[in-house]
Every structure is written in structure tokens, then in C-alpha cells.
Amino acid sequence: MDNGTAMISVEGLSKWFGPFAALKDIDLKVDRGEKIVICGPSGSGKSTLVRCLNGLEDHQSGRITVAGLEVMNDRRRLEQVRLKVGMVFQNFNLFPQMTVLRNLTVGQTWILRKSQRDAEALAFEYLEKVRIPEQAHKYPSQLSGGQQQRVAIARSLCMQPEVMLFDEPTSALDPEMVKEVLGTMTELAGSGMTMVCVTHEMGFARQVADRIVFMDEGRIVEEAPPAQFFQAPRSRRAATFLKQVL
Ligand code: ADP
Ligand code: MG
């Protein structure tokens, strides 16, 4: 198989939860540096798809390759894959008992075996990038939702992943905080990171995505550049969805 410059390659992916088919014959390629936005109605399989990409969900058929590694249900392999793939969730998932700084250094020292000093230096670099270096010594519960999500992004970046996955990173945030998180993501996109973002923020999608992937009922129904997708969706289901979110 020739992957060319593909950072992510998904071929014939299907996934069942018991008898229920959550993903049906998904094919998707994401090139190095490309930004993909995945959208679609609730329950269409968006989270399941991104969770399969870093092996948080096992899959029953098809083949997934990320950064040159096939994603397989093997502990050692999953560790290798997760080193290359950062993931940011709706609910931040920070370690509540650790300061912001510790949240950013713990993976670097324990998993990457870096010195505390080097880990802190990189942590501050990313806290500057997400514009909250002054929050380093606070605990997550002392921050706003938007700040916590920016810490979560910085924490992922500290592991220097090759791909970043986002699963509705702004949907748990108050409206005034959505913008600051999307701002961080837009800057990250500008840095050349490969990004797969599940989001209903269509302004972000229009501005940042190279391609929009629209899912419904476990399938990719449509895949198009934003200009085409927003102006003239090919499927009725996408048109209906856009009426609801725009
Ligand atoms: P989306 O993120 O697009 O809202 P999900 O990927 O979360 O959709 O879910 C796709 C479908 O799979 C839904 O019908 C959901 O109920 C089902 N599903 C997701 N996770 C599980 C699970 N752990 N067990 C059983 N069904 C699940
Ligand atoms: Mg979801």
C-alpha cells in the first residue's frame, strides 16, 4: 500500500458495539500538515472514529495507520501510537490534584524521561503559546473552562505529538470562552500541525479546515473543501445538518 504523505490512513474501518454498527466501512486519508473538520449529527460516529485513531476504541475490521504505525490492539503498540497522537476532549480531563505546571510536566518526566528542568522549560513555552503562563502554579479547579481547555491543549503539545485530535473541545464552554480556545486551535493550525477536529464551530471549520468530513449513521457521507461544503453540499443530509448549525 502506498501511503504517500499520509499521516493518517483509514481503510475499510468498521466498528460494532455488540450488534450495533457504529462505523461502517470508513475510508479516510489525512496528509501531514492537513486540517480536517469532522461534523455530523449526534450519534453519527464522530467520537468513535477519532477514538479509534489512537486506539481508545478497538476496531473489528479495516486498517488504521497513524504516523507510520498500524493501530492494533496491542499494549506496546498502543503506547507507541499514543506518543504520536495528542487528544483533547470536551471535558478537559486535566489531573485535578496537580498544578497546571505539573499537568504539563508529568508526562514528559514519566513517559519521555526528560529532566524536570527541561520539562518545565517546554511547559512554559507552551503556556506562553496558549497565553496563560501566569496560571502555572494554580490547580485546574481555579481556572475558567476556557483556561482549562488551553492547559489541556498545552499539555498535549508538551508530548510533541505528530497529530492532534480534538473531540468537541469547545462544546462544554460558555460562549465567551469558545473564542479563546478556537483562537489557540487556529494558531496551532498555523504552526503546521496535522489536526483532526470534531466540532460544530462552522466559522472555525471555514477558516481553518482543508477538508470537511460529514458523517451520518456511521458513514462518511460527504468530504469536501469548506467552500464547496458550505455553499453546495451534495447530500440532503448535509444540507439539513447545515441548516441546523449555521
Ligand atoms: P457522535 O460522537 O457522532 O455523537 P459517537 O461516536 O459517540 O457519536 O456514537 C456513535 C454511536 O455509537 C451512537 O449511536 C452511540 O450510542 C454508540 N456508542 C458509542 N459508544 C458506545 C459504547 N461504548 N457502547 C455502545 N454504543 C456506543
Ligand atoms: Mg461525540
Side-chain angles (χ1 to χ4, degrees):
M1 186 184 69
D2 179 15
N3 261 328
T5 55
M7 175 68 85
I8 296 174
S9 158
V10 176
E11 289 176 294
L13 170 67
S14 295
K15 155 122 197 120
W16 288 269
F17 290 108
F20 175 75
L23 297 175
K24 302 166 189 163
D25 198 23
I26 301 276
D27 291 311
L28 180 68
K29 280 211 174 7
V30 182
D31 282 343
R32 190 172 284 272
E34 216 182 352
K35 293 95 183 78
I36 302 292
V37 161
I38 301 177
C39 62
S42 174
S44 56
K46 307 177 300 292
S47 294
T48 304
L49 174 57
V50 292
R51 291 166 61 82
C52 282
L53 295 180
N54 68 352
L56 282 177
E57 294 284 358
D58 196 7
H59 59 280
Q60 287 90 11
S61 75
R63 192 158 182 269
I64 303 174
T65 311
V66 177
L69 292 168
E70 185 172 354
V71 182
M72 295 184 295
N73 191 9
D74 165 90
R75 199 176 65 94
R76 178 92 190 90
R77 173 56 57 88
L78 289 178
E79 282 170 7
Q80 293 170 329
V81 168
R82 286 173 194 156
L83 275 177
K84 295 183 184 283
V85 182
M87 181 143 179
V88 173
F89 302 86
Q90 183 172 335
N91 292 314
F92 329 137
N93 294 13
L94 295 172
F95 307 121
Q97 75 283 19
M98 296 181 193
T99 64
V100 165
L101 185 60
R102 190 76 186 125
N103 265 277
L104 269 61
T105 58
V106 67
Q108 297 186 68
T109 53
W110 278 83
I111 299 169
L112 303 181
R113 303 262 163 231
K114 291 182 18 182
S115 71
Q116 189 63 28
R117 203 175 137 204
D118 288 352
E120 287 190 7
L122 192 64
F124 274 106
E125 211 173 285
Y126 282 113
L127 284 176
E128 300 272 358
K129 286 217 167 98
V130 303
R131 302 178 202 281
I132 39 175
E134 73 285 357
Q135 308 295 340
H137 301 289
K138 289 194 185 162
Y139 286 87
S141 62
Q142 296 172 298
L143 306 186
S144 73
Q147 290 172 328
Q148 288 186 55
Q149 192 59 299
R150 284 182 288 153
V151 171
I153 294 170
R155 181 178 62 176
S156 273
L157 293 175
C158 279
M159 300 302 281
Q160 303 193 291
E162 295 193 33
V163 189
M164 285 287 287
L165 309 177
F166 293 86
D167 191 1
E168 303 206 27
T170 60
S171 33
L173 298 176
D174 293 334
E176 69 271 24
M177 291 166 193
V178 170
K179 232 170 91 189
E180 65 189 47
V181 170
L182 293 178
T184 294
M185 291 170 65
T186 302
E187 285 175 13
L188 179 62
S191 78
M193 178 62 78
T194 307
M195 295 166 68
V196 175
C197 311
V198 176
T199 181
H200 292 162
E201 292 295 334
M202 292 296 125
F204 171 82
R206 203 187 283 269
Q207 192 189 342
V208 170
D210 296 304
R211 251 186 309 147
I212 312 275
V213 170
F214 174 75
M215 292 183 69
D216 193 24
E217 296 183 355
R219 294 182 199 282
I220 293 180
V221 175
E222 193 159 337
E223 221 183 300
Q228 184 182 326
F229 181 75
F230 289 116
Q231 271 151 40
R234 269 176 281 120
S235 64
R236 254 224 344 251
R237 282 181 285 183
T240 307
F241 172 79
L242 282 174
K243 272 199 203 113
Q244 286 159 357
V245 296
L246 284 180

